[in-house]
Amino acid sequence: MMKKGFLFTIMIISLSVILIACSGTNEEGKSDNGDDDNKQVEQVLKIANDQEPAGLDPHKTPAHSSVRIYSQVYSGLVEFDKDMNIVGDLAVDWNQPDDQTYVFNLHEGVKFHNGREMKAEDVKYSFERILAEETASHIASYFSNVESIEVLGDYQIQFKLKSTDATFLSNLTNASAVVVAKEVVEEHGDLQQEAIGTGPFKFVEWVPDNRVVLEKNEEYYKEGLPKLDEVIYYTMKDEAARLSAIRTGEVDLTTLTAQSASLLENQEKIDIKSYQSLEYSYVGFNVNSEILKDEKVRQALSLATDRQSIADIVWNGDAVISGPVAPSMGDWSIDVESHELYSKNLEKAKELLAEAGYPDGFEITITTASTYADMVDTAQILQQQWKEIGVEATIKQIEWGEYIDTWLNTSADILIGRNGSGTDPDRALNYFFHSTGSANVWGFADSDYDALVETGKTTVDLEERKTIYTEAQEKLLELSPNLFLVSPMKYVAVRDSVEGFTPYPHNGEYILDVTKK
């Protein structure tokens, strides 16, 4: 009986060896054809977003919660590479017959997600739509210097400018300066709920307060990109929910505050990527308000503001004091901390209030987005600090959609927010504060300031531009249509199953090279 049992065991072992050999898998977990098992991993990236999109129309919606979605769906003529050099996107190349003329040669065979080929007529339509008054585009002022747009052929288009413009190419890199399909706009009225572009991902669905789903554009003109098959953006307004989701692997990637990022520093399977942002936090003033129309009141509030406390408390110390041009823009930004209005001086603040007719202070409402903890925390700190000069502030927290409408319509006296300085000082100084700037929602107008930024826009000499923009920043601090607070570090928590993700100051959500392992 023992002998029979032994022979039976040998037969079982032999059969197992044969089955393993037939399976084609070796001991390293690789199949005989050399493919790794993990190459079969589903290429789906799950991202937790802190906010619901405010709409998907790139020509109409500036909210970052929307930009992060539509920037994956649409393409523009040019873009920044990883080193912030301007390179072609839909444009193969371009030339300048003279200082006021740009001719772009387009890639042939690029298709919209509806299958139609993109041609020069689409470029012309898109920029005329941006400039049309009825569109009310937030980037119309970027291209107000465009005199004419002419189609020279199916794959060639010419922009003629009214004057030399040092910002034209960099403005074309904006995530909203993209090419859209006329028939889609006409069918839907706008693009707020529909997104059909030429970009690396196709829009699949938007389930409100839940998720936005994108899928790979198999006909994307850049060979081998994107590497992901699908991207799912989950709306998780509560940071605790995002923190839990990244810990458990429910999502692969999410942005976090400095405080939450510190909780994950030693967490297995999670990497924290940080970078100095081009953003700054601000206090926006409706300068047509009865109280705030006097610049002395705005200056008094600046003198009562301790920006370092905001950096330390709101951003856990991971923020630098900023002006309208964030310090990460290098030589373009000025040393704001040496400015008189950046030093806390309560006595001087009270003097200015008295001169403005408010010796005992005043009552006012600070409006902020309830879904952004940093904005709420900033409002609460300012409420405490301004009380020292007799200003009694009430905080009003509103949902994101209402917040965007409030910003657009200047329907709050004081608004807490965050802006991006952009990649050229023209955005920070012209777009937001020129009297006709598309994002000047504050009612601010000063002819001397306008003249400065207009000159800066048309000046090609680099050192001369820097001198002009230095003067413009100093004047803006003096007039204080906004109080510029701090520029924070940005933090992204990434699961170790994600490869190829690198956030950049000018593009913190570049995912074309990302794969899952």
Side-chain angles (χ1 to χ4, degrees), residues 102-364:
Y102 289 81
V103 177
F104 295 89
N105 299 304
L106 308 178
H107 282 281
E108 297 183 24
V110 175
K111 292 183 179 180
F112 284 107
H113 300 154
N114 61 8
R116 181 174 69 77
E117 187 180 10
M118 185 278 303
K119 295 185 178 180
E121 282 288 354
D122 297 299
V123 179
K124 178 179 171 69
Y125 168 77
S126 297
F127 282 89
E128 287 182 344
R129 181 176 187 251
I130 289 168
L131 289 167
E133 189 174 341
E134 60 267 26
T135 305
S137 176
H138 59 287
I139 60 167
S141 64
Y142 276 6
F143 303 106
S144 59
N145 194 30
V146 173
E147 185 173 67
S148 65
I149 305 171
E150 184 180 352
V151 172
L152 303 181
D154 281 350
Y155 308 105
Q156 191 174 67
I157 191 158
Q158 174 182 282
F159 287 77
K160 194 82 174 177
L161 309 182
K162 300 170 188 174
S163 60
T164 304
D165 190 340
T167 69
F168 180 66
L169 283 176
S170 62
N171 284 342
L172 285 175
T173 68
N174 187 277
S176 294
V178 294
V179 178
V180 303
K182 181 179 180 179
E183 67 271 21
V184 180
V185 176
E186 291 180 341
E187 179 183 353
H188 298 278
D190 61 24
L191 301 170
Q192 294 291 39
Q193 301 294 321
E194 190 62 50
I196 293 178
T198 58
F201 292 96
K202 294 181 178 181
F203 172 69
V204 177
E205 67 171 350
W206 174 8
V207 181
D209 294 316
N210 185 290
R211 68 187 181 275
V212 176
V213 180
L214 308 180
E215 69 178 14
K216 180 178 183 175
N217 175 13
E218 298 286 357
E219 295 186 279
Y220 188 49
Y221 80 92
K222 293 184 181 180
E223 190 175 350
L225 295 176
K227 298 178 180 179
L228 294 165
D229 293 324
E230 190 175 59
V231 184
I232 306 174
Y233 295 89
Y234 291 101
T235 300
M236 296 184 180
K237 298 178 183 179
D238 182 35
E239 181 152 75
R242 299 196 302 277
L243 193 60
S244 174
I246 194 70
R247 276 175 165 157
T248 61
E250 181 184 346
V251 299
D252 305 304
L253 185 154
T254 187
T255 56
L256 292 170
T257 61
Q259 291 92 331
S260 291
S262 66
L263 298 175
L264 297 175
E265 283 179 351
N266 299 313
Q267 182 89 27
E268 289 186 6
K269 299 182 180 298
I270 296 175
D271 184 25
I272 301 296
K273 295 180 182 289
S274 63
Y275 60 97
Q276 182 62 53
S277 74
L278 289 164
E279 287 186 356
Y280 62 85
S281 58
Y282 69 85
V283 181
F285 296 132
N286 177 357
V287 300
N288 292 318
S289 157
E290 182 61 32
I291 296 173
L292 298 167
K293 66 182 180 182
D294 192 328
E295 66 188 63
K296 289 181 179 179
V297 172
R298 306 194 297 267
Q299 290 168 345
L301 294 175
S302 184
L303 288 167
T305 299
D306 183 346
R307 292 166 172 83
Q308 190 59 53
S309 290
I310 293 171
D312 292 340
I313 298 170
V314 177
W315 301 101
N316 206 34
D318 288 336
V320 292
I321 294 173
S322 180
V325 178
S328 52
M329 287 187 68
D331 291 345
W332 290 116
S333 65
I334 64 172
D335 177 18
V336 292
E337 292 187 71
S338 63
H339 197 281
E340 180 188 3
L341 291 176
Y342 270 66
S343 59
K344 188 170 182 179
N345 188 334
L346 299 181
E347 291 309 310
K348 178 66 175 175
K350 290 175 181 177
E351 286 177 20
L352 288 171
L353 285 185
E355 291 173 17
Y358 301 101
D360 300 317
F362 53 83
E363 294 181 358
I364 203 155

Side-chain angles (χ1 to χ4, degrees), residues 24-87:
T25 303
N26 60 30
E27 69 228 2
E28 271 101 20
K30 295 182 180 179
S31 63
D32 285 344
N33 61 16
D35 290 335
D36 292 341
D37 286 345
N38 62 14
K39 283 190 178 177
Q40 306 306 312
V41 169
E42 191 177 39
Q43 293 300 306
V44 177
L45 185 69
K46 299 176 181 179
I47 301 174
N49 277 344
D50 56 8
Q51 196 53 259
E52 180 83 354
L56 298 177
D57 196 324
H59 297 165
K60 289 186 171 188
T61 309
H64 183 66
S65 58
S66 299
V67 174
R68 62 162 60 106
I69 307 293
Y70 65 63
S71 63
Q72 310 296 347
V73 176
Y74 293 96
S75 299
L77 288 172
V78 298
E79 62 184 346
F80 280 118
D81 67 11
K82 296 173 184 178
D83 299 315
M84 286 192 69
N85 299 307
I86 295 176
V87 297

